[in-house]
Each structure stands twice: as structure tokens, then as C-alpha cells.
Amino acid sequence: MTRYDIAFDSAGATCSGWHFPGEGDGYEQRPVVVMGHGFGGTKDSGLEPFAQRLSQAGLDVLAFDYRGFGASEGEPRQTVSVVGQIHDFESAVAAAKRLPGVDPNRIVLWGSSMSGGHVLRVASGRDDIAAIIAMTPLTSGAAVSRAAVAHRDVGTALKWTAIGLKSRVDVARGGRPTMMPLVAHPGEPGGLTLDGAYESYTALAGPTWCNEVDSAVGLQIAGIRTADAARRVRCPALFQIADFDRYVPADSVAKTAVLARGVVHHYPCDHFDVWPGNGWFDKAADDQVAFLGRVLSTSSSPDRRKSPQR
């Protein structure tokens, strides 16, 4: 499997990417999949096995790190900005269009968890996006926040909200953010602390991943709204829903899929179980390849407004 390091500019910072050229000759000009990770993730933390499956199917792939994370430049480090990450995604799309041998009119956006919401907003209203894959996507910050509060005591939730607000003010004044672990064991401070979260995330973690994040991340998540963007999506979209997802409520994702008229696949598992090393990875990856094989056919233009399927 061939992989090349590439770099591109986003808002004056150099973002690090991996380019996986498509294999075989199934496409005269190859579609290209742009992959961004979820909450605090880096491209070396589980994206490559998905990229390999897509590359083997003849698709180019560009996986990248957001500013401030992984091998990308950008300050402050480990601070999640939804607006900033969406801008980075748009910059990655522009870079993908410049890759040799790709079809700039057949760009696929691939996102999981938080980036599953990003891809809806990036694609919204655009005609140059051929398809979307949203795997266990975070489509409603309100729904995720309610789920988080349900799994921890109110006092702890209020404490970390106050710390996050202070961190946001400090950064706005030119100070340093207040950090917390991105994942931790139950009862410990952290962004993701449900039973098994630490083991699941660290099993995916690559060498550039860092287990810390700005404590204001909860405020970023709470403000995520994708309903309007979903209504304005013009391309086929695959929504992969984990029915027993403890982090991203399945019903909130299903509602967004209806708004986007997306193709829906359900998996009887939890949030991390569709990732490499877990029981539902092969099925999730196979479904992605099959979906793109249908909508990116070289013999006809893709139907850009698919009806939901289950």
C-alpha cells in the first residue's frame, strides 16, 4: 500500500496529510476521499485502515490533521474549534483537487463522530461534492450534551462547564487554555470517561496523538447544529449509525439522515465498535466501499438526492 506525506496551507498554518493513491484502473480519473478525524483524533489513529480499503477500491484518499493536532502546525495546541476545523476541511478539499490523476468534480467527504457533523456543513449547498460518508456522526450538540450529563453527576458537569468557560475567557485574553485529559477512566477528570472509553480510544491512538484537550471543548460541542446544513446537502450521503451508541444518540443521527435524505446503515454496537480492531469494522468499511461504488459509477452521473434506505 503506497502512502505519501503531503502538506497544505490552512489559514496560514501548514496542515499535515497522507495521500493514498487509488489502485487499479477502474476510473479514468479517480475520485478522491477527504478524511478528517473526530474528537481530538489524529490521522495516525485509526484512519489508515479505512483509507486502505478505499484505495484498494480505486479511490484516492487524503487523510489530514487539523491545525493544532497531530503533525499539523497551529497554536494553541489541542484546542478544538468547530469553525476552524471546518475551514481546515475546506482547505483539505482544495488540496485534494490538486492531487495528480484525480477528478476534481468527484470529491467525497468522510467524517466520523465530530467530523461526521463537519462533513455535512462543508458539503452544504455545494455542487462539487459527489458524496458524503458520516460514520457515527455528531449531528446535534444538544443531544450529545444531554447524553453526557446523563452519564455523570450534575455537580461534575457544572464544575467542568465552569472550567471550560474560564479557559475560553483566558484564551480570548491571550492566555493559555486549561487542559484536561481527552479520555480517562470512569470517575476521573476527562472529556470521555464512560466505561471502556479509555481503552477504546488509546487502542487506536497513533504516535502523534496526545491525551489532552482544552477544557472548553464541551462548549464547542454544545453549539453544534447540523439540521440546516443537512437540508442543503445536494449529494448522496451514507449515515452509519451505531444503535447502542453511548456518546452520540442514535435517534439524533437518524433525524439528521432524514433531513439529508441519506442512505442509512445500522450496526448493533457502540460508538467505537466500528473502528479497526473491533467487531464491526469490516462491515462498516465494506458498506462504505459498496456505497461509493454505486454513487461514483463512471457510467452515469450519481443521483444526488437518494431516498433513505435501512
Side-chain angles (χ1 to χ4, degrees), residues 95-117:
K97 291 184 175 186
R98 298 191 294 267
L99 293 173
V102 307
D103 185 346
N105 296 313
R106 284 194 291 179
I107 303 293
V108 178
L109 306 182
W110 188 105
S112 178
S113 195
M114 180 177 282
S115 64

Side-chain angles (χ1 to χ4, degrees), residues 106-196:
R106 284 194 291 179
I107 303 293
V108 178
L109 306 182
W110 188 105
S112 178
S113 195
M114 180 177 282
S115 64
H118 292 350
V119 297
L120 295 172
R121 295 175 66 175
V122 173
S124 179
R126 292 176 63 156
D127 292 320
D128 60 339
I129 304 301
I132 292 170
I133 292 174
M135 186 175 75
T136 60
L138 196 170
T139 61
S140 168
V144 169
S145 297
R146 287 194 297 269
V149 170
H151 288 291
R152 60 174 38 169
D153 65 89
V154 175
T156 299
L158 291 174
K159 171 187 173 182
W160 281 104
T161 298
I163 293 173
L165 285 168
K166 180 180 182 299
S167 182
R168 174 183 281 184
V169 171
D170 289 344
V171 170
R173 292 175 174 173
R176 303 297 300 174
T178 300
M179 310 304 287
M180 68 177 178
L182 196 157
V183 291
H185 296 288
E188 298 176 349
L192 303 175
T193 60
L194 295 182
D195 184 43

Side-chain angles (χ1 to χ4, degrees), residues 241-250 267-271 273:
I241 299 176
D243 290 329
F244 306 122
D245 198 323
R246 294 177 296 162
Y247 305 89
V248 177
Y267 306 87
C269 64
D270 199 358
H271 190 78
D273 294 336

Side-chain angles (χ1 to χ4, degrees), residues 10 25-26 33 39-40 43 55 65 67 70 78 83 103 115 122 133 171-172 228 239 246-247 263 277 280 286 298 309:
S10 183
D25 55 3
V33 182
F39 175 65
K43 65 180 184 296
S55 175
D65 286 332
R67 280 173 287 161
Q78 301 298 124
V83 172
D103 185 346
S115 64
V122 173
I133 292 174
V171 170
D228 289 343
F239 288 80
R246 294 177 296 162
Y247 305 89
V263 175
W280 289 94
D286 287 347
T298 57
Q309 299 176 12

